[in-house]
Amino acid sequence: MTTMAEETDTETETGRDTDTETAVRESEAPGPFSREPADPRSRESDIRRHELAAFLRHRREHITPEQVGLPRGRRRRTPGLRREEVAQLSAVGVTWYTWLEQARDIQVSVQVLDALARTLMLDPNERAHLFQLAGAVDPTPASRCATITPALLQTLEQLEPLPACIQNSRYDILAYNRTYGRLLCDLDEVPAEDRNCMVLITTNEQWRSSIVLLDETVRLIAAKFRASMAGHLADPAWKMLLKRLRAESEEFCEVWERHEVVGSRSKTKFFDNRYVGRLTLVHTDLWLGPVDGPRMVTYAPADDESRERLEKLHAIAVERG
């Protein structure tokens, strides 16, 4: 006897799925009967959809029912999870998820992608691959970033006592050394989702009180943020950050409406550190990829007094770390 779930499972598993390589070959077929879309962007989108479908299928087939708390049953024919099970665990419709695995031209929200990533137990690299294939931006990159390699973390540590961190173009602080963690505030005490320079300079009083020229700095970073955002106007993560800043800071709203734009540049900065006092530091960006990608931010002392105070700050950070 075959149950209804098993009949549905067999039907969906042998449906109208098209293999990625077949789709690519058909899209590249020459001659008057070629199925290649007239618009190269449409062709790329078609390939992406088939790659996404194949990736989801592969990951689903390699997750066992036991891994997600489901009974295996005695008549299971599907390797791994059934489509219905993935849909249920991800809180999406079965038909909709089936279409996704059949490479249909449908829109996928970042919330659904996040749910699928959790259901399919994707690691950080697989999660990033999922969002890239879907043409979406992961709204939580601060906690998941393939850019931060063990070698980069070691580099940050070797730069001590100089403060250094790694930021993306949205000013999320992705990693930092111990000196940077005590430079403007006790960064370890800040939740990961709030470790963003835009958020900190507009809402964190400890961070704000450490900046000597606060008004000028807020205006400058807002102008730099606007320049960076020009290439990400439709990205959900950028839109979510902008919405948060507008909701939580009247000061940000005021400077944002000025529509000022400034590019990245090295600059001498002044900080009043709560542990060692006034610091005069030269800010430098070391790009880790394209100019609009992640960068290592370093602060070098501009004078001997600042150097000595950085060494003292580093000793405090090590002691309290």
Side-chain angles (χ1 to χ4, degrees):
M1 177 177 178
T2 303
T3 65
M4 182 179 298
E6 287 167 343
E7 289 176 352
T8 305
D9 183 46
T10 302
E11 180 182 4
T12 56
E13 290 302 310
T14 59
R16 295 187 295 170
D17 288 355
T18 303
D19 187 80
T20 303
E21 289 134 344
T22 302
V24 173
R25 285 198 302 269
E26 289 177 345
S27 69
E28 293 177 344
F33 300 105
S34 172
R35 295 180 58 185
E36 180 178 355
D39 187 349
R41 289 175 297 181
S42 298
R43 177 174 174 273
E44 180 182 351
S45 177
D46 184 60
I47 294 174
R48 279 180 178 270
R49 289 198 309 273
H50 283 86
E51 286 285 353
L52 176 61
F55 179 66
L56 289 173
R57 236 177 1 253
H58 180 272
R59 292 303 304 140
R60 172 172 60 80
E61 292 171 354
H62 287 77
I63 299 293
T64 65
E66 292 84 356
Q67 285 178 283
V68 294
L70 295 176
R72 172 170 291 277
R74 290 182 292 179
R75 299 182 61 87
R76 179 177 291 269
R77 302 174 183 176
T78 306
L81 297 178
R82 301 185 179 106
R83 284 175 175 162
E84 305 94 275
E85 292 167 338
V86 173
Q88 181 180 4
L89 291 169
S90 304
V92 299
V94 178
T95 300
W96 186 91
Y97 180 75
T98 300
W99 286 352
L100 195 58
E101 279 202 11
Q102 291 176 345
R104 301 282 189 96
D105 189 5
I106 56 177
Q107 296 297 317
V108 192
S109 69
V110 293
Q111 292 81 7
V112 168
L113 291 172
D114 178 69
L116 289 174
R118 285 185 279 106
T119 296
L120 298 175
M121 305 176 69
L122 303 185
D123 65 27
N125 289 330
E126 291 169 334
R127 179 186 173 98
H129 186 63
L130 173 70
F131 275 81
Q132 186 174 25
L133 289 177
V137 176
D138 190 343
T140 58
S143 59
R144 302 176 178 90
C145 183
T147 300
I148 310 303
T149 63
L152 280 177
L153 293 176
Q154 184 178 5
T155 301
L156 288 176
E157 184 177 351
Q158 291 297 314
L159 285 171
E160 293 176 343
L162 302 187
C165 70
I166 296 175
Q167 298 177 14
N168 59 19
S169 57
R170 200 173 54 250
Y171 292 94
D172 294 315
I173 301 172
L174 307 177
Y176 52 92
N177 63 17
R178 290 170 293 186
T179 316
Y180 186 87
R182 293 291 190 278
L183 179 62
L184 291 155
C185 72
D186 290 338
L187 203 52
D188 291 342
E189 298 178 2
V190 177
E193 61 271 19
D194 293 340
R195 291 176 191 164
N196 174 280
C197 294
M198 297 298 305
V199 172
L200 290 166
I201 201 172
T202 53
T203 65
N204 186 290
E205 288 305 318
Q206 189 180 121
W207 186 283
R208 289 168 57 84
S209 65
S210 298
I211 299 174
V212 176
L213 304 173
L214 180 61
D215 292 342
E216 176 184 329
T217 304
V218 171
R219 185 174 174 180
L220 176 64
I221 195 171
K224 293 166 69 176
F225 179 67
R226 180 179 286 279
S228 297
M229 190 171 181
H232 306 273
L233 294 176
D235 287 357
W238 287 74
K239 293 163 68 175
M240 289 166 57
L241 175 58
L242 180 58
K243 181 178 180 180
R244 176 182 179 180
L245 293 170
R246 282 174 162 167
E248 296 183 3
S249 173
E250 292 184 3
E251 180 185 22
F252 173 80
C253 292
E254 180 181 345
V255 297
W256 186 252
E257 291 306 317
R258 297 181 181 182
H259 290 267
E260 295 175 329
V261 177
V262 174
S264 297
R265 61 190 182 190
S266 297
K267 184 179 180 182
T268 300
K269 296 189 176 183
F270 306 93
F271 301 120
D272 279 332
N273 182 266
R274 62 185 301 190
Y275 298 109
V276 299
R278 178 65 58 91
L279 292 166
T280 304
L281 306 177
V282 179
H283 166 279
T284 303
D285 288 326
L286 305 173
W287 299 97
L288 304 177
V291 174
D292 60 348
R295 64 192 181 278
M296 183 176 293
V297 179
T298 64
Y299 291 94
D303 51 55
D304 291 339
E305 185 177 33
S306 294
R307 181 180 298 278
E308 292 175 1
R309 290 181 177 180
L310 277 182
E311 292 173 353
K312 182 179 178 181
L313 178 61
H314 174 248
I316 293 172
V318 170
E319 179 183 355
R320 301 194 177 192

